[in-house]
Structures are given as C-alpha cells and as structure tokens.
Amino acid sequence: QVQLVESGGGSVQAGGSLRLSCAVSGYTYSMGWFRQDRGKEREGVALICEDIGTFYSDSVKGRFTISQDTAKKTLYLQMNSLKPEDTAIYYCASLIGRSCGLVRQLVSYWGQGTQVTVSS
C-alpha cells in the first residue's frame, strides 16, 4: 500500500515559480507528476524511475524538474517559467511494479491533487 499526499500548489503570475511536494509512504520504483485541467484528459508531466532516470513531457521540458530526497520519502516538482497553460490540478502518482512510462494507465496510486493556477 502506497499513500501520497501533495502540497505546495497555489496561484502565481506567468513567469513565476512554484515547488510541489509529495509525501510518500511505502516503497515505489517509479513516481511521477500528472496534471488535469477542466475538460481535458489527465496527462503525464514528469517521471522519475529508480536506476533509469527522469523523463518530461515536451510541454514542460526545460522548465520543470522532478526530484526526490535520498530516502524516497518526498517527491518534488520544481516548476519555473510558469505559463497560464500550466494551470491544472497536479497529481502525484506511483506506478505499477517496476514499470517506467509517463502513461496514466501505468499508475497504481494517486494523490489527492493540488491546484496550480497561473495568471497572465
């Protein structure tokens, strides 16, 4: 059983920065961040897989950075140069087994989500 609790969302102006955190209980091989805006499908944003590395969607590459502390108890998403189109609910996620892919169908556990709003 894995439990995920996000924090750090909020409102910011375009060009600003936010850092999301996700407190993790239980072991997980791969973890990621997904987001969903109203009327849109939930999409993968960033992923970190043990012993493999990190992956990003094209829309956030170069602006967002995913990381975790050495004990793997907290997952982070540093978001810089935020744009209005980054507005969404952001979800922390752990993936099934040893899978590694920024695909929602691979997610086994979701956090409750945290709102990020970027104004122009």
Side-chain angles (χ1 to χ4, degrees):
Q1 184 80 9
V2 175
Q3 291 185 316
L4 309 169
V5 180
E6 301 99 332
S7 60
S11 298
V12 65
Q13 289 191 327
S17 298
L18 283 174
R19 189 175 81 157
L20 306 182
S21 299
C22 175
V24 181
S25 64
Y27 173 77
T28 177
Y29 177 80
S30 299
M31 296 201 64
W33 291 94
F34 289 70
R35 68 185 182 187
Q36 187 170 20
D37 197 9
R38 283 178 294 183
K40 298 182 180 179
E41 290 192 357
R42 193 169 298 188
E43 62 174 355
V45 173
L47 180 69
I48 184 165
C49 302
E50 185 176 329
D51 299 329
I52 297 178
T54 57
F55 304 90
Y56 299 91
S57 66
D58 288 342
S59 62
V60 306
K61 199 173 295 182
R63 300 187 298 121
F64 290 12
T65 303
I66 188 172
S67 63
Q68 60 189 163
D69 65 15
T70 54
K72 297 183 69 177
K73 295 300 184 185
T74 306
L75 182 73
Y76 301 99
L77 184 68
Q78 178 66 45
M79 305 185 294
N80 298 328
S81 302
L82 282 161
K83 304 175 181 180
E85 51 263 44
D86 294 318
T87 294
I89 298 174
Y90 283 70
Y91 297 90
C92 178
S94 65
L95 272 59
I96 298 169
R98 296 177 70 83
S99 61
C100 182
L102 205 51
V103 178
R104 58 178 295 184
Q105 288 78 6
L106 293 178
V107 175
S108 57
Y109 294 98
W110 295 98
Q112 83 283 359
T114 185
Q115 177 71 48
V116 171
T117 302
V118 185
S119 58
S120 57

